[in-house]
């Protein structure tokens, strides 16, 4: 049995995954961890996405840590600031501040097989060693800036939703929003009544279903705080509602798709009266193929006289605004890029060098693969949270993350208790698992259209093809036989 000080653990990233892992390590009596975070504060997505209207699109009773449930969510879908405040509270409650190394970006990780340790190098040139790395650096982190000609010519302000500049005043300005995905459906209705003119550039319309958001009255919050059973019951019900709706958004089925389409069309009809406008807002691809969005007021924004939907292609950005290919110049003072993120899973987040000098990028040359999304053969003692093929299109990603944390902690306990040098997922086990995942992909709906879910070759290495509950059952229990276990 090795003691804690001989067993440094590095957690990369202080978002939900990293913070959740730190708490579970503490609960397991393992204290020898450090959390490395490249930003100056914790929070990940909820630190970075502060655009007007930014909120969770999964109910907060499910989109929160199961071991840190919060009776005080103000509404079903909490706003970004409230989620960030929750994470800050959790960090204080678990006294994680002194475990954090903020402003510290890991720029290289190299496995020393003789010693069974990972050597981590920071952007400041410091090095750290870790017996185990828990990598929770997120999949949708770095903004994707569109490659539109003339962007530098624009005389006004340009900002990405994930890097909102709160010093830019939008009141009474002409604002152009490029993109109509999950971020746009939140920002558009929130700023529509503030700005003088809102022009929304839609390349592809999205299926949007009703959010049915509501504030929790004070008595409900008191009840949930007083009787944790009700809080757990609320989480349980919301989890199973989203889970049982899952097949509508993930199976490639005409019948299920028709159900989704009718729900979305009902949402469109109740918000938009003009049949021509409805037509322009209606997607022509199968329901679920791209991420299904939730909103009660996005589509209604286009009924306003001061909001215009533009479906002509953008030709270029000019000094005064956005020129579309019909020759029209859409004048603007501010351009908002709601154009999404670079999928972090396409490559390793930084050079990660495993056994025999192989890099993770080499291992992922034909797409990111990992055993249950967590471990990659040749990269021992490295556990990914929110890794390949673990994203949900229908429920809270944290359900998956918690299973990954549980799996990693069992591996840490085994390494420690048996004095092992390394645990490396067996290549045959990893290959068999991923062959099964890709086989199941053929029954899923995601192959039928272009989205960030897919790699350039059309393969899907981002989403899990099935129910969250099934993933959790498969992933949360470590089977030591799946791993090559090597002692000193
Ligand atoms: P997104 O879903 O990838 O949407 C990007 C939008 O920008 C799309 O409409 C895309 O059009 C458009 N676009 C990209 N490049 C363009 C270009 N050059 N010209 C014109 N249009 C362009 O990005 P997102 O809305 O930021 O959401 C990304 C993901 O973040 C979501 O799927 C979700 O997982 C997560 N998210 C979650 C929440 C939440 O509430 N939990 C909120 C926001 C985001 P095409 O469709 O034609 O490519």
């Amino acid at each position: 049995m090795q003691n804690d000080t001989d067993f440094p653990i590095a957690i990369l990233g202080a978002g939900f995954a990293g913070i959740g892992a730190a708490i579970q390590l503490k609960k397991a009596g393992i204290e020898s961890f450090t959390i490395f975070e490249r930003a100056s504060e914790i929070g990940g997505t909820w630190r970075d996405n502060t655009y007007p209207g930014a909120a969770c699109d999964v109910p907060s009773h499910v989109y929160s840590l199961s071991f840190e449930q919060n009776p005080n969510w103000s509404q079903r879908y909490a706003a970004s600031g409230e989620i960030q405040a929750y994470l800050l509270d959790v960090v204080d409650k678990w006294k994680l501040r002194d475990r954090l190394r903020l402003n510290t970006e890991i720029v290289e990780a190299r496995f020393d097989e003789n010693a069974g340790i990972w050597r981590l190098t920071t952007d400041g040139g410091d090095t750290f060693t870790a017996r185990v790395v828990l990598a929770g650096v997120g999949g949708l982190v770095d903004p994707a800036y569109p490659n539109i000609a003339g962007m530098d010519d624009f005389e006004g302000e340009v900002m990405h939703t994930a890097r909102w500049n709160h010093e830019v005043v939008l009141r009474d300005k002409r604002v152009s929003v490029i993109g109509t995905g999950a971020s746009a459906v939140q920002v558009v209705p929130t700023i529509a009544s503030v700005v003088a003119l809102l022009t929304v550039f839609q390349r592809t319309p999205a299926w949007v279903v009703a959010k049915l958001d509501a504030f929790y009255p004070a008595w409900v919050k008191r009840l949930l705080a007083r009787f944790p059973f009700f809080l757990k019951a609320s989480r349980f019900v919301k989890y199973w509602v989203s889970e049982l709706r899952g097949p509508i958004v993930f199976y490639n089925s005409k019948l299920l798709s028709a159900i989704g389409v009718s729900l979305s069309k009902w949402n469109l009809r109740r918000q938009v009266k003009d049949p021509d406008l409805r037509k322009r807002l209606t997607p022509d691809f199968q329901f679920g193929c791209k991420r299904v969005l939730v909103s009660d007021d996005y589509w209604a924004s286009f009924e306003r006289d001061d909001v215009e939907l533009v479906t002509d292609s953008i030709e270029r950005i000019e000094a005064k605004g956005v020129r579309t290919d019909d020759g029209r110049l859409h004048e603007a003072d501010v351009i908002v890029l709601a154009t999404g993120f670079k999928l972090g899973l396409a490559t390793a987040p930084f050079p990660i060098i495993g056994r025999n000098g192989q890099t993770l990028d080499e291992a992922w040359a034909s797409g990111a693969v990992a055993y249950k999304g967590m471990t990659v053969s040749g990269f021992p003692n490295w556990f990914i949270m929110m890794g390949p093929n673990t994203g949900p299109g229908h429920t809270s990603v944290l359900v998956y993350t918690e299973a990954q944390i549980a799996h990693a902690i069992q591996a840490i306990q085994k390494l420690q208790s048996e004095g092992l040098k390394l645990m490396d997922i067996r290549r045959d086990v990893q290959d068999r698992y991923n062959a099964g995942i890709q086989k199941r992909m053929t029954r899923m709906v995601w192959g039928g259209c272009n989205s960030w879910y897919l790699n350039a070759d059309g393969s899907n290495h981002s989403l899990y093809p099935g129910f969250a509950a099934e993933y959790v059952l498969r992933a949360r229990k470590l089977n030591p036989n799946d791993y090559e276990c090597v002692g000193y």
Side-chain angles (χ1 to χ4, degrees), residues 7-51:
F7 206 93
I9 297 166
I11 298 175
L12 310 188
F16 259 109
I19 290 167
I23 294 171
Q24 292 297 62
L25 283 169
K26 276 198 153 202
K27 285 174 94 171
I30 303 166
E31 296 280 346
S32 55
F33 61 87
T34 305
I35 310 168
F36 295 92
E37 168 57 56
R38 69 179 181 179
S40 57
E41 185 50 283
I42 64 120
T45 294
W46 306 105
R47 175 201 59 230
D48 292 343
N49 285 273
T50 62
Y51 57 84

Side-chain angles (χ1 to χ4, degrees), residues 348-418:
F350 46 81
I352 298 171
I353 302 127
R355 289 171 105 176
N356 305 317
Q358 187 194 27
T359 67
L360 190 59
D361 273 347
E362 285 163 358
W364 283 359
S366 341
V369 281
Y371 175 63
K372 297 179 181 170
M374 291 182 281
T375 45
V376 183
S377 183
F379 298 82
N381 303 357
W382 184 285
F383 297 86
I384 307 171
M385 296 175 286
M386 304 185 182
N389 293 115
T390 65
H394 68 287
T395 187
S396 169
V397 69
L398 302 179
V399 174
Y400 299 65
T401 313
E402 288 191 14
Q404 293 148 14
I405 294 169
H407 185 108
I409 290 181
Q410 288 159 58
I412 290 169
Q413 287 166 332
K414 185 173 170 65
L415 285 159
Q416 275 189 310
S417 64
E418 295 178 22

Side-chain angles (χ1 to χ4, degrees), residues 290-309:
K290 276 173 180 282
R291 189 176 158 102
V292 173
L293 310 181
V294 289
S295 174
D296 293 327
D297 50 9
Y298 166 66
W299 275 333
S301 312
F302 296 102
E303 291 265 290
R304 296 176 62 101
D305 292 339
D306 50 5
V307 177
E308 187 186 359
L309 176 71

Side-chain angles (χ1 to χ4, degrees), residues 51 55-57 146 179-183 186 203-204 290-291 338-340 452:
Y51 57 84
C56 190
D57 61 8
T180 52
S183 302
Q186 297 181 335
R203 189 165 67 179
T204 316
K290 276 173 180 282
R291 189 176 158 102
T339 45
W452 64 261

